[in-house]
Short mmCIF file of all heavy atoms in Angstrom, two decimals:
data_model
loop_
_atom_site.label_atom_id
_atom_site.label_comp_id
_atom_site.label_asym_id
_atom_site.label_seq_id
_atom_site.Cartn_x
_atom_site.Cartn_y
_atom_site.Cartn_z
N HIS A 189 -7.11 -9.05 23.24
CA HIS A 189 -5.72 -9.02 23.74
C HIS A 189 -5.36 -10.45 24.14
O HIS A 189 -5.98 -11.42 23.67
CB HIS A 189 -5.60 -8.02 24.91
CG HIS A 189 -4.21 -7.47 25.06
ND1 HIS A 189 -3.19 -8.15 25.67
CD2 HIS A 189 -3.68 -6.28 24.67
CE1 HIS A 189 -2.08 -7.42 25.64
NE2 HIS A 189 -2.36 -6.27 25.04
N LYS A 190 -4.39 -10.56 25.01
CA LYS A 190 -3.95 -11.87 25.48
C LYS A 190 -3.60 -11.64 26.94
O LYS A 190 -2.47 -11.86 27.37
CB LYS A 190 -2.74 -12.26 24.61
CG LYS A 190 -2.33 -13.69 24.65
CD LYS A 190 -3.31 -14.66 24.05
CE LYS A 190 -2.84 -16.03 24.49
NZ LYS A 190 -3.80 -17.09 24.43
N LYS A 191 -4.60 -11.14 27.68
CA LYS A 191 -4.29 -10.64 29.03
C LYS A 191 -4.03 -11.75 30.03
O LYS A 191 -3.52 -11.49 31.11
CB LYS A 191 -5.40 -9.70 29.52
CG LYS A 191 -6.73 -10.36 29.80
CD LYS A 191 -7.73 -9.34 30.34
CE LYS A 191 -9.07 -10.01 30.60
NZ LYS A 191 -10.08 -9.10 31.12
N ASN A 192 -4.36 -12.99 29.64
CA ASN A 192 -4.05 -14.11 30.54
C ASN A 192 -2.56 -14.43 30.56
O ASN A 192 -2.06 -15.01 31.52
CB ASN A 192 -4.86 -15.36 30.13
CG ASN A 192 -4.70 -15.70 28.65
OD1 ASN A 192 -4.27 -14.88 27.84
ND2 ASN A 192 -5.04 -16.93 28.28
N ILE A 193 -1.83 -14.05 29.47
CA ILE A 193 -0.40 -14.34 29.39
C ILE A 193 0.41 -13.05 29.46
O ILE A 193 1.37 -12.94 30.21
CB ILE A 193 -0.07 -15.07 28.05
CG1 ILE A 193 -0.91 -16.34 27.91
CG2 ILE A 193 1.42 -15.37 27.96
CD1 ILE A 193 -0.55 -17.46 28.82
N LEU A 194 0.00 -12.05 28.65
CA LEU A 194 0.72 -10.76 28.64
C LEU A 194 0.10 -9.88 29.73
O LEU A 194 -0.65 -8.95 29.46
CB LEU A 194 0.60 -10.11 27.26
CG LEU A 194 1.04 -11.00 26.09
CD1 LEU A 194 0.86 -10.27 24.76
CD2 LEU A 194 2.50 -11.43 26.26
N VAL A 195 0.38 -10.25 30.98
CA VAL A 195 -0.40 -9.71 32.09
C VAL A 195 -0.23 -8.21 32.29
O VAL A 195 -1.17 -7.51 32.66
CB VAL A 195 -0.12 -10.46 33.42
CG1 VAL A 195 -0.70 -11.86 33.37
CG2 VAL A 195 1.37 -10.52 33.72
N HIS A 196 0.97 -7.68 32.03
CA HIS A 196 1.19 -6.25 32.30
C HIS A 196 0.47 -5.39 31.26
O HIS A 196 -0.36 -4.55 31.60
CB HIS A 196 2.69 -5.94 32.33
CG HIS A 196 3.40 -6.74 33.37
ND1 HIS A 196 3.25 -6.50 34.70
CD2 HIS A 196 4.23 -7.81 33.26
CE1 HIS A 196 3.97 -7.38 35.38
NE2 HIS A 196 4.57 -8.19 34.52
N ALA A 197 0.78 -5.64 29.99
CA ALA A 197 0.13 -4.86 28.93
C ALA A 197 -1.38 -5.13 28.93
O ALA A 197 -2.20 -4.22 28.78
CB ALA A 197 0.73 -5.18 27.58
N GLY A 198 -1.74 -6.39 29.11
CA GLY A 198 -3.15 -6.77 29.04
C GLY A 198 -3.97 -6.08 30.13
O GLY A 198 -5.08 -5.60 29.89
N GLN A 199 -3.40 -6.00 31.34
CA GLN A 199 -4.12 -5.35 32.43
C GLN A 199 -4.29 -3.85 32.17
O GLN A 199 -5.33 -3.27 32.44
CB GLN A 199 -3.40 -5.58 33.78
CG GLN A 199 -4.23 -5.19 34.98
CD GLN A 199 -5.55 -5.96 35.05
OE1 GLN A 199 -5.56 -7.19 34.96
NE2 GLN A 199 -6.67 -5.25 35.16
N LEU A 200 -3.22 -3.26 31.60
CA LEU A 200 -3.32 -1.82 31.29
C LEU A 200 -4.46 -1.58 30.29
O LEU A 200 -5.29 -0.67 30.45
CB LEU A 200 -1.98 -1.31 30.75
CG LEU A 200 -1.84 0.21 30.63
CD1 LEU A 200 -0.38 0.62 30.83
CD2 LEU A 200 -2.35 0.73 29.31
N TRP A 201 -4.51 -2.40 29.25
CA TRP A 201 -5.59 -2.26 28.26
C TRP A 201 -6.96 -2.42 28.91
O TRP A 201 -7.88 -1.65 28.67
CB TRP A 201 -5.42 -3.30 27.14
CG TRP A 201 -4.54 -2.84 26.02
CD1 TRP A 201 -3.19 -3.02 25.90
CD2 TRP A 201 -4.95 -2.11 24.84
NE1 TRP A 201 -2.74 -2.44 24.73
CE2 TRP A 201 -3.80 -1.89 24.07
CE3 TRP A 201 -6.17 -1.64 24.37
CZ2 TRP A 201 -3.82 -1.21 22.85
CZ3 TRP A 201 -6.20 -0.96 23.16
CH2 TRP A 201 -5.04 -0.75 22.42
N GLN A 202 -7.09 -3.47 29.76
CA GLN A 202 -8.40 -3.71 30.38
C GLN A 202 -8.78 -2.55 31.31
O GLN A 202 -9.94 -2.12 31.32
CB GLN A 202 -8.37 -5.04 31.16
CG GLN A 202 -9.73 -5.42 31.73
CD GLN A 202 -10.76 -5.72 30.63
OE1 GLN A 202 -10.61 -6.68 29.87
NE2 GLN A 202 -11.80 -4.90 30.52
N ASP A 203 -7.81 -2.03 32.07
CA ASP A 203 -8.10 -0.90 32.96
C ASP A 203 -8.57 0.31 32.16
O ASP A 203 -9.52 1.00 32.55
CB ASP A 203 -6.85 -0.51 33.77
CG ASP A 203 -6.50 -1.54 34.84
OD1 ASP A 203 -7.34 -2.43 35.11
OD2 ASP A 203 -5.38 -1.46 35.39
N VAL A 204 -7.90 0.58 31.04
CA VAL A 204 -8.28 1.73 30.22
C VAL A 204 -9.68 1.52 29.63
O VAL A 204 -10.51 2.44 29.63
CB VAL A 204 -7.23 2.00 29.11
CG1 VAL A 204 -7.75 3.02 28.11
CG2 VAL A 204 -5.92 2.48 29.73
N VAL A 205 -9.96 0.31 29.16
CA VAL A 205 -11.30 0.04 28.59
C VAL A 205 -12.37 0.22 29.68
O VAL A 205 -13.41 0.84 29.43
CB VAL A 205 -11.35 -1.37 27.97
CG1 VAL A 205 -12.79 -1.82 27.72
CG2 VAL A 205 -10.57 -1.40 26.66
#
Side-chain angles (χ1 to χ4, degrees):
H189 207 281
K190 196 67 193 160
K191 68 178 179 180
N192 52 342
I193 304 289
L194 306 179
V195 289
H196 302 289
Q199 192 59 51
L200 191 150
W201 272 92
Q202 186 65 65
D203 289 348
V204 169
V205 165

